[in-house]
Amino acid sequence: MLSKPASTLTGDLQALSYVRPEPDSAWGTYLAQVDSVIPYLGSLSRWADTLKRPKRALIVDIPIEMDDGTVRHFEGYRVQHNLSRGPGKGGVRYHPGVTLEEVMALSAWMTVKNAAVNLPYGGAKGGVRVDPHQLSVRELEKVTRRYTSEIGLLIGPQRDIPAPDVNTNGQIMAWMMDTYSANVGATATGVVTGKPVHLGGSLGRVKATGRGVFIAGREALRRQKLALEGVRVAVQGFGNVGSVAAELFAQAGARVVAVQDDTGTVYRDAGLDVPALQAHRAEHGSVQGFAGAEPLDDERFWDVPCDILIPAALEGQITADRATRLQAWMVLEGANGPTVPAADAVLAERGILVVPDVICNAGGVTVSYFEWVQDFSSYFWTEAEINDRLDKIMVDALGAIWDKADALQISLRTAAFAVACERILLARQDRGLYP
Ligand code: NAD
């Protein structure tokens, strides 16, 4: 019998073999965040390794016949990071840069986020390596339907419930719901959230994440006894999250001075007309060329004079270098994982307050939870009821995290992870291990 090479017999058998995270990668960032909270977990720290590995990860092939008759293959993922507190919950991202490692990190942040706001969910996330802007509508529908069918092994209203994320929207959720329903032979509205309202969606869901970012910012200002009127806000990412956060800050009297999307950056010291910029983006697909502002070099965005910075695009955007140049005194993390660990240290040293993603952008999943509850009872609430409940959950969750941070003299991020990880690991401990 052939013996195995010695190298496969040694090595760290506790380490995952399928990712080699770099410190500033999304998964590397998440692991560093978990490590920083372990000293605050007491006897529950015994279970902390469960946070450092996904429960399960599925990689799927998505073969599509394109409009021109060629066949192309796309790679898709669905990762369930942790299901200790309930079914998996988390969005689906379409982006050419999506990788398994990125989806793992995003699923893990969902576990932490759902626990931080005390929603009865675990954490999951999905993604497809595709540039949806290069597809026709028909091709996009085919990718969505085949992806949904392939991950049908894992998803379901009681098992794992996807939602929109970068480059996905209500139409894509409608196709996902229809495909899953066709496969199981019954309409299952509760299999995804973020659906159009006439298909079991919830009022208030489209704006919920941006609204949550605004509520988090409003509360953070109130806690510091600072006024909202006149504060200068810079927003990176002008999609679902960034454009709504900008709109609500402007409505409340703030000055949105800079906006950046993947095509360029616009600046106006007196404050941008946000509805006009939204209309420009809807017409031209980008913020570039907006008449009511001056264009700015993209890298200048990071030292623009402002009070609040809202990263609402992708992870890893606030690097250590950019953190040294920021003029803002508060960062509201609309995006998931926008700040790398080295930058977090710089921001802390500079006394810049960071309201972390796992609480700051939790408004979306909170209203997704409302949508899921409404779908089960087939009884729908008014938009005012949704927004009131969202406000209360966000204020209470941020308040508990703020108090913990004050009590232990730790950052809001570490406090949010401490509150969340205690809940996750308590569930793990009390459920016990099988067998
Ligand atoms: P979206 O697709 O609606 O918008 C993304 C925006 O980011 C676009 O304006 C795009 O141009 C911009 N962008 C992309 N790459 C960029 C780059 N390199 N530089 C500058 N801008 C860039 O996506 P979204 O739903 O608004 O999500 C944005 C972030 O918020 C993501 O991190 C996502 O995971 C997170 N998030 C979204 C939700 C939700 O409900 N949609 C909930 C929680 C967190």
Side-chain angles (χ1 to χ4, degrees):
M1 193 175 97
L2 286 174
S3 60
K4 285 189 175 178
S7 61
T8 64
L9 297 176
T10 57
D12 181 2
L13 293 179
Q14 291 298 308
L16 298 177
S17 67
Y18 49 91
V19 290
R20 294 267 179 272
E22 298 293 324
D24 285 353
S25 67
W27 183 247
T29 297
Y30 166 74
L31 291 181
Q33 292 167 347
V34 171
D35 280 337
S36 71
V37 81
I38 289 175
Y40 303 99
L41 295 177
S43 62
L44 287 172
S45 63
R46 169 169 180 253
W47 298 92
D49 274 357
T50 200
L51 298 166
K52 294 188 176 183
R53 48 191 60 233
K55 178 179 177 64
R56 50 175 82 99
L58 180 66
I59 304 174
V60 298
D61 175 38
I62 306 165
I64 296 300
E65 186 175 2
M66 308 295 280
D67 292 348
D68 65 5
T70 58
V71 176
R72 285 188 63 191
H73 292 255
F74 300 95
E75 195 171 298
Y77 315 93
R78 185 74 188 170
V79 177
Q80 295 176 339
H81 172 258
N82 187 288
L83 304 180
S84 295
R85 303 182 70 253
K89 185 90 193 79
V92 173
R93 174 174 294 192
Y94 287 180
H95 195 279
V98 165
T99 60
L100 173 63
E101 185 190 325
E102 180 186 49
V103 178
M104 281 167 55
L106 292 166
S107 70
W109 282 319
M110 287 310 301
T111 303
V112 176
K113 187 183 310 180
N114 291 331
V117 273
N118 215 1
L119 303 179
Y121 290 132
K125 200 85 177 191
V128 180
R129 265 172 94 77
V130 62
D131 182 353
H133 306 299
Q134 305 296 321
L135 301 183
S136 69
V137 174
R138 198 175 142 68
E139 290 165 344
L140 186 64
E141 179 175 351
K142 284 184 182 178
V143 166
T144 301
R145 288 190 182 278
R146 184 63 187 254
Y147 169 68
T148 307
S149 210
E150 293 295 338
I151 63 164
L153 291 169
L154 296 187
I155 62 172
Q158 308 278 12
R159 294 155 64 91
D160 180 0
I161 307 109
D165 190 70
V166 173
N167 289 329
T168 55
N169 56 25
Q171 174 61 77
I172 288 171
M173 294 306 114
W175 289 329
M176 290 188 76
M177 188 273 275
D178 184 69
T179 305
Y180 179 85
S181 298
N183 286 346
V184 299
T187 293
T189 53
V191 69
V192 290
T193 57
K195 300 177 296 292
V197 171
H198 60 280
L199 288 176
S202 178
L203 294 167
R205 173 61 184 91
V206 171
K207 293 195 172 186
T209 310
R211 183 178 296 282
V213 172
F214 170 72
I215 295 168
R218 184 196 70 202
E219 284 306 296
L221 287 166
R222 191 183 61 75
R223 286 231 168 203
Q224 298 170 91
K225 301 194 176 18
L226 295 169
L228 210 162
E229 289 74 24
V231 294
R232 293 164 303 169
V233 181
V235 185
Q236 188 203 31
F238 203 59
N240 178 273
V241 180
S243 73
V244 173
E247 173 189 327
L248 295 177
F249 269 101
Q251 273 173 18
R255 263 158 64 196
V256 179
V257 292
V259 167
Q260 178 176 89
D261 70 4
D262 63 335
T263 65
T265 307
V266 291
Y267 176 76
R268 184 165 184 261
D269 188 55
L272 296 156
D273 180 341
V274 175
L277 186 59
Q278 287 170 331
H280 177 90
R281 196 259 331 245
E283 192 182 341
H284 303 283
S286 83
V287 300
Q288 246 186 353
F290 179 55
E294 49 183 282
L296 207 64
D297 270 359
D298 283 342
E299 202 49 38
R300 281 288 320 279
F301 173 81
W302 300 101
D303 42 38
V304 103
C306 66
D307 303 302
I308 298 178
L309 174 78
I310 305 180
L314 298 174
E315 55 271 9
Q317 293 297 299
I318 306 185
T319 58
D321 169 55
R322 288 172 176 172
T324 58
R325 288 156 40 205
L326 286 193
Q327 305 225 11
W329 40 258
M330 183 158 84
V331 175
L332 300 176
E333 292 188 338
N336 286 306
T339 311
V340 303
D344 235 357
V346 174
L347 296 176
E349 203 171 290
R350 294 187 58 205
I352 297 173
L353 181 73
V354 178
V355 184
D357 47 5
V358 291
I359 176 68
C360 193
N361 70 30
V365 71
T366 302
V367 176
S368 274
Y369 165 59
F370 297 160
E371 178 175 334
W372 183 72
V373 168
Q374 291 172 88
D375 284 340
F376 275 120
S377 57
S378 295
Y379 178 78
F380 292 89
W381 311 340
T382 65
E383 189 158 0
E385 283 173 311
I386 301 279
N387 290 344
D388 285 352
R389 286 172 201 237
L390 170 64
D391 210 292
K392 182 167 172 25
I393 286 182
M394 290 292 299
V395 171
D396 289 352
L398 181 62
I401 289 164
W402 199 288
D403 292 343
K404 182 130 194 152
D406 275 350
L408 297 178
Q409 288 297 295
I410 53 179
S411 70
L412 286 178
R413 190 187 312 283
T414 306
F417 266 68
V419 167
C421 294
E422 273 169 20
R423 288 179 180 147
I424 300 159
L425 298 181
L426 189 62
R428 175 71 279 150
Q429 173 183 271
D430 289 355
R431 285 177 67 156
L433 290 182
Y434 167 83

